[in-house]
Amino acid sequence: MIKQVNEHKTVSCEDELRFFKAVWNNSEDNLFIVLKTEDGDFITERTNPALVKLFQFTPEQASGSSLKALLPAEAFQKIAQRYNDCLQNNAAVHYEESHVLDDSGGVRYWETMLLPIIDEQTGEQRVFGISREFTRLKRIEEQLKLANERLEEKVKARTKELEEALQKMEKISIYDKLTKLYNRHKLDDELTNEINFAKRYGNCFGLILMDVDNFKTINDSLGHVIGDKVLVEFADVLKQSIRQTDIAGRWGGDEFLIIVPKASRETILHLVNTLQKNIKQHEFEKVGLLTLSIGGAVYKESDDVDSIIQRADRALYKSKNKGKDNFTFE
């Protein structure tokens, strides 16, 4: 029984040849055998039907044709180098190649494997080649790559839009829409930071709280449009009057606040004098000259955000009660 099984598994040379011919004639892969000549040329000995059909070879080209004569010199040198590497190393060689086969300009792609066939008795050297087309996969790969590139572009564009939107939202969240100075929310944050720094490091800072004298009269007599223009102009003068380290913002209505880091009473007094001078020299559109009522306070160890604001606010109202166009320390 065992003997019968072994005999059944035995494949004769004729069977192997028949199987090879079936593969050779019916395979969709391109199969070829080339013989290396003594002068370094390569001769096509066999070319399977798939390869003949692909390149539309004549019978002469399919068998017995010199590759050196058939191909341009540069193409022959490239192919000969691969064939020689295969034979010299007596090992398989894998590579990808591409060709344009017609006037459409479309490039097609193949993955090729070369196998060395060296006759030990005669010394003849042959290369057996198997070339499988993967143009469709290449097209899909190119489409996916293009789709990814487009997706990346869209993501970048969307990310940029989101960053710009976040920047706008940040500006909206910390800047007063009318004057473009810091809004009250931002001033609260900055004032909290100054209080914390002062308590931790012993820094001293000051506050200046002010409003435009007779601003209600301007709104009532000339309208809110003119009143808004006054506030915008005032904000510009304010920005030009303070130091780079000072923090100015709109506290509400016609009230404005300046946080003066590392400041003494003398520093605050100098800043107030500069501001009053600049305001009195500025001709406001359709309004003329204006004055300010100002209150100031310097940080004390017992202060928190509310207490220092309250002291500056009391000083402001004292200035108003003095007849306006005044500055008072609390």
Side-chain angles (χ1 to χ4, degrees), residues 83 143 179 184 210 277:
Y83 291 174
Q143 291 171 2
T179 63
R184 184 160 183 163
M210 72 203 81
K277 176 183 176 182

Side-chain angles (χ1 to χ4, degrees), residues 173-176 179 181-195 205-210 238 242 246-252 255-260 305 308-309:
S173 67
I174 66 175
Y175 288 102
D176 175 61
T179 63
L181 294 173
Y182 285 141
N183 59 23
R184 184 160 183 163
H185 176 74
K186 176 63 174 177
L187 290 173
D188 282 337
D189 287 344
E190 293 293 338
L191 186 53
T192 299
N193 291 336
E194 286 297 329
I195 291 285
F205 72 96
L207 285 188
I208 300 173
L209 188 62
M210 72 203 81
L238 178 58
I242 63 176
D246 297 332
I247 302 166
R250 186 181 181 188
W251 191 244
E255 285 190 339
F256 293 82
L257 180 72
I258 306 174
I259 302 173
V260 190
V305 172
I308 193 171
I309 286 291

